[in-house]
Amino acid sequence: MNIQKPYLLFLGDAHDQLAAKVADGIKQWHPEYCVGQYRMANCHADCQLTDMDIDAAVKAGAKTLVVGVANRGGIISKEWISVLSAALEKGMDLAAGLHNKLSDVPELRALADRLGRNLFDVRHPTQQYPVASGRKRSGKRVLPVGTDCSCGKMYTALAIEKEILARGGKATFRATGQTGILISGAGVSVDAVVSDFVSGAVETLAPANEADHWDVIEGQGSLFHPSFAGVTTGLIHGAQPDALVLCHEPTRTHMRGVDYPIPDIADCMALNLKMAQLTNPDARFVGISLNTSALSDADALALMAELEVRHGLPVVDPFRQGVGAIVDKLAAL
Amino acid sequence: MNIQKPYLLFLGDAHDQLAAKVADGIKQWHPEYCVGQYRMANCHADCQLTDMDIDAAVKAGAKTLVVGVANRGGIISKEWISVLSAALEKGMDLAAGLHNKLSDVPELRALADRLGRNLFDVRHPTQQYPVASGRKRSGKRVLPVGTDCSCGKMYTALAIEKEILARGGKATFRATGQTGILISGAGVSVDAVVSDFVSGAVETLAPANEADHWDVIEGQGSLFHPSFAGVTTGLIHGAQPDALVLCHEPTRTHMRGVDYPIPDIADCMALNLKMAQLTNPDARFVGISLNTSALSDADALALMAELEVRHGLPVVDPFRQGVGAIVDKLAAL
């Protein structure tokens, strides 16, 4: 899945800023992908981009209109169709990561077919993947893993890619979920892949590369989440990570969506390492990445100092300090 | 997926007995499901059932023609279509577990639609499954897990179901692969389920039950297989097994299809137990099931005695001694 850039970010009728978090993510990590934003009359979000209509966006070079908004149902809204249709008419592709597909909206499907445009439904893999071979590939790979779902794995991966590139190194973020795909313009939603092919999909996503190139693979789920640990296992095995980063949200009291406790950090690291070493015996942890947004500065720093001593690894909050200390460790591998 | 019984087993143009191993499995485990077999002129297999044409099978009460044969490509052969069509015409459903689908053969699809018959493509789940809840269910569950793929998990599960039933207990084999589904007439091919829903599919397959009822869930893959461990993880978590049985083929030198070693038995049991205890903290191993078909009687017995001492668990080859010793342990839980 390779989405053409640059983008016009469609904020639609977002009822608040949080509803536009996909657009926010694209703007934050890749402002250079964004020519502008499209807001409908009743839009309550603003990504601080130039407001454009479809004609202005086309003139500014936009190749794809990206739906960067989720309404309450997470579906394509009827109110959006006229704008999406106009984008197709004027020469753009469409991309979205919602529950229902752009390509299942008959009007959009027919228009795209007639005009030869692409509809990217990034939640829904279209490619066939092989069964994983388990064979070692050249190049280096780092994978954030988590004590839970949604605890900072994508943010950490994007921050690591950015830091390596800023230092003049070679790195590619490899998206494994819909938001990451829309942010980076490529990837595969591994949780939507048929289970037999998850590891093979990740092998395909992060292929052999130059010896000093880092694939920064987006992690998913948690080995301790009773709903999704199978996805996590397949992802770890296909990734063959040389380096792991443990991601953790320290104020969470139970796993997302289920009545299960958050695992102990040492226990979580031990199991992730055990799984990772099946396909890469040299796998090791290089750091801990915390999401301390719910803590005061003082509490966050105290916790980080404590974890650093306890686990003997650099501990960062990418949002507070960046991931320099983790990238130092990667450089030393 | 619930296939109507009894069956006419279709052996087609099997080039040898091994090509009819699905039919052999159905006949072995459920002879009472089989009214007869259908063999074409050039068939080189024989399941020791009465040979019948379609009319005779219908008269004998057959409800479903089950394709119990795999040709070299594992696909539906053109030479079979006239027989399969006749079965539909005369009132039977069709079931198969091949790579291509009965329902993708236009002639069969049209005929089944017109006549209101069912086409069961058991490799391809048709049901939507929920994300797993991880909530404990009533009833007991036992799950065979393996050092590798194809090392006796299905055979062990079927033998345990049969032994519990023979003792007057309550048990249901829960198939998770195409052969098991054809043998038992129900189940879900978990390796063909979208990865997010594997654990939920197994929760659905083995629902809450009477306190003294055993679901005997067919295991898949191995936590140490680099291609399929994600499927195994999802299956273990959805199964919430009270009891685990370790299945092992002692002469195998590497994992099926990949250049990876067979894991140490103790290491394999430890990791399976760790994974199982996430969703059932009381999970424990109750025995080891060996496939010793490649060993002499003396070598097999010596190995079993050695493993019994080393692991402190009953060790059986279901084919040689049956699984009585394992069912004794289940009864004691």
Side-chain angles (χ1 to χ4, degrees):
Chain A
M1 201 170 290
N2 227 313
I3 304 169
Q4 280 222 74
K5 296 149 194 160
Y7 303 153
L8 173 66
L9 300 186
F10 177 74
L11 309 192
D13 45 2
H15 53 85
D16 59 16
Q17 193 64 34
L18 192 62
K21 68 176 182 174
V22 169
D24 270 335
I26 300 171
K27 159 79 189 307
Q28 177 186 355
W29 294 103
H30 289 292
E32 78 279 15
Y33 292 175
C34 310
V35 301
Q37 64 185 10
Y38 186 109
R39 299 192 295 164
M40 292 166 67
N42 50 347
C43 180
H44 295 96
D46 182 355
C47 291
Q48 310 289 327
L49 291 162
T50 310
D51 284 302
M52 292 184 177
D53 62 15
I54 299 296
D55 284 325
V58 169
K59 251 182 226 148
K63 294 280 192 292
T64 305
L65 178 149
V66 174
V67 177
V69 57
N71 56 22
R72 282 181 212 275
I75 60 166
I76 297 155
S77 165
K78 280 190 181 163
E79 284 68 41
W80 303 347
I81 303 292
S82 63
V83 182
L84 303 186
S85 297
L88 288 172
E89 294 274 12
K90 297 293 171 77
M92 281 190 252
D93 292 337
L94 303 180
L98 299 167
H99 284 290
N100 62 345
K101 296 186 191 181
L102 295 163
S103 61
D104 284 344
V105 178
E107 201 173 333
L108 298 177
R109 174 76 279 165
L111 204 52
D113 284 348
R114 179 163 64 77
L115 301 168
R117 311 269 186 264
N118 296 302
L119 303 177
F120 294 101
D121 288 295
V122 305
R123 247 178 222 267
H124 305 275
T126 49
Q127 194 178 334
Q128 291 275 35
Y129 294 100
V131 162
S133 72
R135 278 192 294 274
K136 178 130 186 81
R137 302 154 355 244
S138 54
K140 297 282 187 187
R141 282 161 203 90
V142 54
L143 175 71
V145 294
T147 51
D148 192 6
C149 303
S150 308
C151 63
K153 292 182 289 286
M154 185 186 77
Y155 194 103
T156 300
L158 285 161
I160 290 173
E161 179 201 38
K162 192 172 183 178
E163 177 71 16
I164 295 175
L165 293 174
R167 294 182 183 193
K170 300 170 188 166
T172 310
F173 171 77
R174 302 295 189 184
T176 62
Q178 66 266 12
T179 305
I181 296 172
L182 290 175
I183 288 175
S184 66
V188 53
S189 266
V190 293
D191 63 5
V193 171
V194 165
S195 64
D196 234 5
F197 306 105
V198 168
S199 298
V202 179
E203 289 186 349
T204 305
L205 178 69
N209 214 316
E210 295 168 84
D212 59 345
H213 176 275
W214 282 96
D215 268 330
V216 190
I217 301 171
E218 182 188 0
Q220 291 293 337
S222 165
L223 289 179
F224 289 81
H225 197 293
S227 312
F228 307 122
V231 182
T232 309
T233 299
L235 199 170
I236 292 173
H237 286 161
Q240 302 180 1
D242 302 278
L244 296 160
V245 176
L246 194 280
C247 299
H248 180 61
E249 204 288 65
T251 67
R252 209 169 282 177
T253 55
H254 60 84
M255 309 288 280
R256 269 177 78 90
V258 291
D259 189 21
Y260 275 71
I262 300 292
D264 172 71
I265 287 180
D267 195 19
C268 185
M269 288 171 65
L271 185 58
N272 276 281
L273 199 58
K274 172 81 183 166
M275 297 309 253
Q277 288 179 338
L278 179 75
T279 58
N280 187 345
D282 296 328
R284 70 196 67 185
F285 272 91
V286 293
I288 296 174
S289 175
L290 299 181
N291 174 353
T292 61
S293 54
L295 297 181
S296 69
D297 279 3
D299 286 350
L301 291 173
L303 176 65
M304 294 166 76
E306 180 201 329
L307 292 178
E308 203 154 304
V309 170
R310 194 187 308 161
H311 300 289
L313 288 169
V315 180
V316 302
D317 181 329
F319 192 80
R320 289 181 191 263
Q321 302 99 350
V323 292
I326 288 173
V327 173
D328 290 346
K329 291 278 279 188
L330 291 180
L333 276 192
Chain B
M1 201 170 294
N2 229 315
I3 304 169
Q4 279 221 74
K5 294 147 195 160
Y7 304 153
L8 172 66
L9 300 187
F10 177 73
L11 309 192
D13 45 2
H15 53 85
D16 59 14
Q17 193 64 35
L18 193 62
K21 69 175 184 177
V22 169
D24 271 335
I26 300 171
K27 159 77 188 312
Q28 178 187 354
W29 293 103
H30 290 293
E32 77 280 14
Y33 292 175
C34 311
V35 301
Q37 63 185 12
Y38 186 108
R39 299 193 295 164
M40 293 166 66
N42 51 347
C43 181
H44 295 95
D46 182 357
C47 290
Q48 311 287 330
L49 291 163
T50 310
D51 285 300
M52 293 183 176
D53 61 15
I54 300 296
D55 283 325
V58 169
K59 251 180 229 153
K63 294 279 191 294
T64 305
L65 179 148
V66 175
V67 178
V69 56
N71 56 20
R72 283 182 210 277
I75 60 166
I76 296 155
S77 165
K78 282 191 179 162
E79 284 68 42
W80 303 348
I81 303 294
S82 63
V83 182
L84 303 185
S85 297
L88 289 171
E89 295 274 12
K90 297 295 170 77
M92 282 189 254
D93 292 338
L94 303 180
L98 299 168
H99 283 291
N100 63 344
K101 296 186 190 181
L102 294 164
S103 61
D104 284 344
V105 178
E107 201 174 334
L108 298 178
R109 175 76 278 164
L111 204 52
D113 284 349
R114 179 163 63 78
L115 300 169
R117 312 268 185 264
N118 296 302
L119 303 178
F120 293 101
D121 288 296
V122 303
R123 245 179 224 268
H124 305 275
T126 49
Q127 195 180 334
Q128 292 274 36
Y129 294 99
V131 163
S133 73
R135 278 192 294 273
K136 179 131 187 79
R137 319 184 299 275
S138 54
K140 296 281 186 188
R141 279 158 206 94
V142 53
L143 175 71
V145 294
T147 52
D148 193 6
C149 305
S150 308
C151 64
K153 292 183 288 286
M154 186 187 78
Y155 195 103
T156 300
L158 286 161
I160 290 172
E161 180 201 40
K162 192 172 181 179
E163 177 71 16
I164 295 174
L165 294 174
R167 294 184 183 191
K170 299 171 189 165
T172 310
F173 171 77
R174 302 296 190 183
T176 62
Q178 66 266 14
T179 305
I181 296 172
L182 290 175
I183 288 176
S184 66
V188 53
S189 265
V190 293
D191 62 5
V193 171
V194 165
S195 63
D196 234 6
F197 305 105
V198 168
S199 298
V202 179
E203 289 186 349
T204 305
L205 179 69
N209 214 316
E210 295 168 84
D212 59 346
H213 175 275
W214 282 96
D215 268 329
V216 189
I217 301 171
E218 182 188 1
Q220 291 293 337
S222 165
L223 288 180
F224 289 80
H225 197 294
S227 312
F228 307 122
V231 182
T232 308
T233 299
L235 199 169
I236 292 172
H237 285 162
Q240 303 180 1
D242 302 277
L244 295 159
V245 177
L246 194 278
C247 298
H248 181 59
E249 204 286 65
T251 68
R252 209 169 282 177
T253 54
H254 61 83
M255 309 288 279
R256 269 177 78 91
V258 291
D259 189 20
Y260 275 71
I262 301 291
D264 171 72
I265 288 180
D267 195 17
C268 185
M269 289 171 64
L271 186 58
N272 275 283
L273 198 59
K274 173 80 183 167
M275 297 309 254
Q277 288 178 339
L278 179 74
T279 57
N280 187 344
D282 296 327
R284 70 196 68 184
F285 272 91
V286 293
I288 296 173
S289 175
L290 299 181
N291 173 353
T292 61
S293 54
L295 297 181
S296 69
D297 278 5
D299 286 351
L301 292 174
L303 176 66
M304 294 165 75
E306 180 200 329
L307 292 178
E308 204 154 303
V309 171
R310 195 187 305 162
H311 300 289
L313 288 170
V315 179
V316 301
D317 181 330
F319 192 79
R320 291 180 189 264
Q321 300 99 351
V323 292
I326 289 173
V327 173
D328 290 345
K329 291 278 278 188
L330 292 180
L333 277 193

